């Protein structure tokens, strides 16, 4: 299975656009017992161990603690193993202890049991899927789904931590440049190091100290020795509040209204109160006359200007918000994420990614929807890939429609915008459509799974999603 594992990992590409990490092919965490690969990722570690089956299978039932069945037939062995993965699970446990010893705090450590020579669908019990072991036939799709679900640390490990772990697992491997590890998603700083802005070596900001607005910061008793803060904080304060409030006062109508004191000012001065009371009705009458004249002027001029003036355009506050949900064929779809850009290949995997690397697209729009089909929760991912001409679009659709040929990554999964459980688009129902120079790709899975491509409910949801609007 080593070659299949290598091909599946390589198809995910370089950089952190997909998952990020470094795969150590043929590493031996336990001396003398090599595994297919150890994948050191920013938010976890994966141990990949291959298991050979007697023959290819369309469906493999693979409970970790019970016997396996291939297409309904039990897989019988001459030894005392419960199933073909018994030895692999034992090796995985030993590797997990070794990694935990050489790299304390390494984060989640998951295991992938890669089975072959070929399996179309692997069925694991729900209790096993809730753990840290996945049984799968290694393709770009299944490996991506496993890495997303198993590498779940809250923070990425630092470049130095990654180097230490790689050196412990593969002492003969050449050191990787810092720029390459940063590009794979590893952090420049460990959790116990202060965050330093490298562009200015005089500035050091502790990660636990919040940044204050210049207008609210307290002035130090003495001027700072280093130019960490601006030398003249006055300009930001002047921009925050106007320095001369007099003009607004001069713009108010008649001075008589401004001359009337407030009750708080009149209370402590009884000698002036009688004069004010006598003068106030006169001022009020004058103010009313002025307002009446102004109202008559406005009313008389309104008819003259009504025909020449056009109503102002509606402001953003009055514009209706974009719909957050849509209904197609009695299936409700609620938007979770949408975006558009021109980085088509970086959002793809497998043969689809290779195709987009050779033929650049004009744009790719992606959207993720939560749905309910026949009362059961489902997740929908949509990609609309646009090309300069129809011939390129048609050729791309043929590649995307090929089973196992890859696809476009789900936007909400990539940007952590799912609410609650993150869907795994393994065994998804698939639909596609060609509209001139654009190709739409649909995948729908149950949430939670498992899912199968021919599930009637998922197929109905995928066909309905062909009509959903996708706004980038």
């Amino acid at each position: 299975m080593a070659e299949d594992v290598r091909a599946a990992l390589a198809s995910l590409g370089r950089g952190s656009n997909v998952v990020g990490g470094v795969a150590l092919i043929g590493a031996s965490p336990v001396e003398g017992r090599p595994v297919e690969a150890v994948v050191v990722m920013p938010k976890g570690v994966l141990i990949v161990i291959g298991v050979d089956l007697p023959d290819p299978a369309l469906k493999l039932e693979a409970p970790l603690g019970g016997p396996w069945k291939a297409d309904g037939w039990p897989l019988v062995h001459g030894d005392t193993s419960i199933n073909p993965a018994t030895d692999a699970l034992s090796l995985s446990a030993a590797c997990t202890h070794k990694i935990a010893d050489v790299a304390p705090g390494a984060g989640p450590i998951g295991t992938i049991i890669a089975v072959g020579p070929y399996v179309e669908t692997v069925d694991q019990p729900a209790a096993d899927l809730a753990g840290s072991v996945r049984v799968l036939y290694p393709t770009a799709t299944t490996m991506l789904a496993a890495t997303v679900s198993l590498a779940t640390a809250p923070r990425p490990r630092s470049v130095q931590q990654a180097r230490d772990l790689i050196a412990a697992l593969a002492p003969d491997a050449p050191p990787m440049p810092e720029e390459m590890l940063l590009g794979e998603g590893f952090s420049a700083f460990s959790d116990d190091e202060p965050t330093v802005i490298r562009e200015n070596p005089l500035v050091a900001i502790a990660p636990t100290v919040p940044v204050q607005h210049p207008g609210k910061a307290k002035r130090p008793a003495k001027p700072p020795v280093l130019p960490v803060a601006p030398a003249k904080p006055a300009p930001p304060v002047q921009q925050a509040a106007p320095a001369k409030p007099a003009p607004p006062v001069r713009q108010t109508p008649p001075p008589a209204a401004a001359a009337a004191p407030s009750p708080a000012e009149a209370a402590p001065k009884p000698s002036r109160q009688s004069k004010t009371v006598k003068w106030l009705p006169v001022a009020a009458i004058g103010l009313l006359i002025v307002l009446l004249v102004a109202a008559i002027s406005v009313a008389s001029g309104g008819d003259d200007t009504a025909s020449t003036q056009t109503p102002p355009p509606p402001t953003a506050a009055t514009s209706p918000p974009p719909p957050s949900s849509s209904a197609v064929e009695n299936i409700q779809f609620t938007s979770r994420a949408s975006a558009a850009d021109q980085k088509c290949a970086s959002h793809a995997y497998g043969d689809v990614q290779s195709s987009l690397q050779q033929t650049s697209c004009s744009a790719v729009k992606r959207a993720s929807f939560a749905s309910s089909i026949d009362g059961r929760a489902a997740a929908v991912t949509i990609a609309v890939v646009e090309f300069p001409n129809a011939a390129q679009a048609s050729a791309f659709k043929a590649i995307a429609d090929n089973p196992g040929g890859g696809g476009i990554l789900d936007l909400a999964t990539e940007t952590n915008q799912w609410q609650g459980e993150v869907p795994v688009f393994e065994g998804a129902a698939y639909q596609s459509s060609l509209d001139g120079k654009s190709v739409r790709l649909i995948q729908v899975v149950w949430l939670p799974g498992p899912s199968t491509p021919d599930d009637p409910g998922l197929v109905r949801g995928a066909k309905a999603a062909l009509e959903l609007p996708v706004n980038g």
Side-chain angles (χ1 to χ4, degrees):
M1 296 303 300
E3 293 300 325
D4 291 339
V5 170
R6 180 193 296 270
L9 291 172
S11 66
L12 296 180
R14 295 180 180 272
S16 59
N17 287 327
V18 179
V19 288
V22 178
L24 306 175
I25 304 296
S28 299
V30 179
E31 187 175 355
R33 303 178 67 182
V35 298
E36 265 59 48
V38 176
V39 186
V40 180
M41 305 173 64
K43 295 186 176 182
V45 178
L46 298 181
I47 304 167
V48 186
I49 304 175
V51 171
D52 293 324
L53 301 179
D55 297 294
L58 295 177
K59 182 178 180 181
L60 176 66
E61 300 174 39
L64 298 179
W68 288 10
K69 292 182 180 180
D71 296 330
W73 294 90
L75 294 178
V76 181
H77 292 270
D79 55 17
T80 58
S81 300
I82 298 177
N83 55 54
T86 301
D87 294 338
L89 292 175
S90 175
L91 176 57
S92 169
C95 294
T96 300
H97 290 303
K98 177 63 179 296
I99 293 173
D101 290 341
V102 299
I109 302 176
T111 299
I112 294 177
I113 305 298
V115 295
Y118 174 77
V119 178
E120 182 175 303
T121 304
V122 177
D123 186 8
Q124 278 190 268
D128 292 348
L129 290 173
S132 60
V133 180
R134 299 289 184 272
V135 181
L136 53 86
Y137 172 69
T139 65
T141 304
T142 57
M143 293 294 286
L144 174 61
T147 55
V148 170
S149 63
L150 294 177
T152 57
R155 298 179 181 177
R157 60 170 41 88
S158 68
V159 169
Q160 188 57 46
Q161 290 171 335
R163 283 175 171 169
D164 294 342
L165 182 54
I166 293 173
L169 298 175
D172 298 333
M176 299 183 65
E178 181 179 5
E179 292 76 10
M180 183 178 294
L181 292 175
L182 289 173
E184 293 294 335
F186 295 100
S187 172
F189 308 100
S190 61
D191 294 342
D192 55 353
E193 290 178 340
T195 303
V196 180
I197 302 176
R198 291 189 172 184
E199 289 77 10
N200 186 352
L202 298 178
V203 179
I205 303 174
T208 57
V209 179
V211 178
Q212 295 182 345
H213 190 278
K216 296 182 180 180
K218 296 181 179 180
R219 293 185 177 181
K222 297 181 180 180
V225 177
L226 297 177
V228 176
K232 296 180 179 181
V237 177
Q238 292 177 356
Q239 294 176 1
K244 296 181 180 181
V249 176
R250 289 198 298 267
Q251 294 174 0
T252 57
S262 63
E265 295 174 349
K269 298 178 180 180
S271 61
R272 300 170 110 183
Q273 186 174 5
S274 59
K275 296 181 180 180
T276 303
V277 172
K278 293 178 181 180
W279 176 81
L280 181 59
V282 179
I285 293 173
L287 178 60
L288 289 175
I289 293 174
V290 173
L291 294 177
L292 180 60
V293 173
I296 294 173
S297 301
V298 173
S300 62
D303 297 337
D304 297 335
T305 59
S307 60
T308 59
Q309 293 182 353
T310 58
T315 61
T318 60
S319 300
S324 59
S325 62
S326 304
V328 180
E329 296 184 2
N330 297 324
I331 299 178
Q332 193 73 20
F333 297 90
T334 302
S335 176
R336 288 288 178 259
S338 62
D341 57 44
Q342 295 179 332
K343 300 178 181 179
C344 304
S346 63
H347 300 313
Y349 57 90
D351 296 340
V352 170
Q353 184 184 51
S354 300
S355 173
L356 292 174
Q357 288 173 342
Q358 297 174 6
T359 303
S360 299
C361 73
S362 302
V364 56
K365 298 178 181 179
R366 296 185 295 161
S368 304
F369 294 87
S371 181
S372 178
I373 305 174
D374 299 330
R376 186 174 177 183
V380 182
T381 182
I382 302 177
V384 179
V385 189
E386 300 176 355
F387 292 89
N389 56 67
Q392 293 176 347
S394 179
F396 172 79
K397 182 178 182 298
I399 295 174
D401 289 345
N402 185 30
I408 304 295
L409 296 171
D410 174 54
L411 175 64
T413 301
E414 187 176 318
T415 57
N416 297 320
Q417 296 189 56
W418 285 109
Q419 299 176 4
E421 184 172 355
V422 178
V424 177
F425 289 92
E426 180 178 354
Y430 172 82
Q431 291 288 322
S432 66
S433 64
L434 176 64
D435 183 10
K437 296 184 291 184
S438 67
V439 179
R440 174 177 291 223
L441 308 179
I442 310 289
Q443 294 186 74
V444 184
V445 294
W446 296 121
L447 188 62
S451 306
T452 56
D454 57 351
D455 186 286
L458 295 179
V459 172
R460 187 162 62 90
K463 291 181 178 179
L466 290 171
E467 306 299 327
L468 278 176
V470 177
N471 300 318

